[in-house]
Amino acid sequence: MLDVAALHEAPWPDHDWENLAIRAAEAAVRQTPYLEWIDHDAVIEIAVRLTSDAEVHLLNKQYRDKDKPTNVLSFPMVQPDLLETVTQNSDDGEVLLGDIVLAHGVCAAEALERQVSIEDHATHLIVHGVLHLLGYDHQGDTDAEAMEEMERAALASLGLHDPYSIRED
């Protein structure tokens, strides 16, 4: 089963972020070959941290050598080639899939620009982050299109907007 923990801190507003993160993670996993994890005996753990731009800036610089905040960072704990057998390779029945970190200021500005709520945009970013934890990427056009389709489907299953309906070129 998926075990999603969400920790929010100022300046994120009060909200049921835990439930939002669980729904987003499950919607993302349902778009992948790993949907059996949702009801599996093994516990697949994902941690979501909603924090400040300053903290995400520091993490982005430290781990990606990019000296600026970004909307979402994903830190996978399982190598992509081991994902298919992850439920079989746990001594205690628990697997830490990884961490997702969202920056409030960047997320809030993007939500305003897209004319969606911060909660809806955070849902999209968590879906995006979970897909990264599952080995998906958007480096090439083909990979980006496939990942965007999974995001669209996950968000549609939650009754949310298509985040890629308007393109900026």
Side-chain angles (χ1 to χ4, degrees):
M1 79 172 177
L2 287 182
D3 180 15
V4 182
L7 172 65
H8 84 281
E9 47 195 51
W12 285 88
D14 285 336
H15 184 73
D16 186 357
W17 295 109
E18 188 101 4
N19 186 50
L20 183 146
I22 291 166
R23 292 181 67 235
E26 285 186 2
V29 172
R30 287 185 191 285
Q31 302 308 313
T32 73
Y34 310 109
L35 66 108
E36 71 183 28
W37 291 358
I38 293 170
D39 297 316
H40 200 280
D41 289 341
V43 178
I44 311 296
E45 299 176 8
I46 299 171
V48 177
R49 184 176 172 112
L50 302 135
T51 191
S52 67
D53 285 11
E55 184 171 339
V56 173
H57 184 161
L58 181 67
L59 292 168
N60 204 23
K61 186 175 182 181
Q62 183 177 0
Y63 290 99
R64 298 179 64 225
D65 203 27
K66 296 190 181 210
D67 195 11
K68 63 181 183 178
T70 188
N71 54 10
V72 61
L73 291 171
S74 298
F75 297 97
M77 302 294 178
V78 178
Q79 292 174 210
D81 62 329
L82 298 177
L83 288 168
E84 288 185 23
T85 59
V86 77
T87 57
Q88 302 162 10
N89 294 330
S90 170
D91 293 336
D92 61 1
E94 295 181 5
V95 176
L96 179 57
L97 188 61
D99 299 332
I100 299 168
V101 184
L102 275 67
H104 178 267
V106 176
C107 184
E110 290 175 351
L112 184 63
E113 178 183 306
R114 290 166 172 80
Q115 299 179 344
V116 299
S117 71
I118 193 168
E119 293 84 4
D120 287 356
H121 191 50
T123 300
H124 171 219
L125 296 176
I126 293 169
V127 165
H128 185 88
V130 169
L131 292 174
H132 276 309
L133 296 182
L134 296 173
Y136 294 95
D137 214 328
H138 43 81
Q139 295 302 318
D141 287 345
T142 303
D143 290 342
E145 288 173 20
M147 190 168 169
E148 288 174 12
E149 278 305 311
M150 287 187 278
E151 290 174 48
R152 283 184 182 104
L155 292 172
S157 76
L158 296 170
L160 297 179
H161 64 285
D162 176 353
Y164 299 107
S165 63
I166 299 174
R167 297 255 180 207
E168 295 177 24
D169 292 314

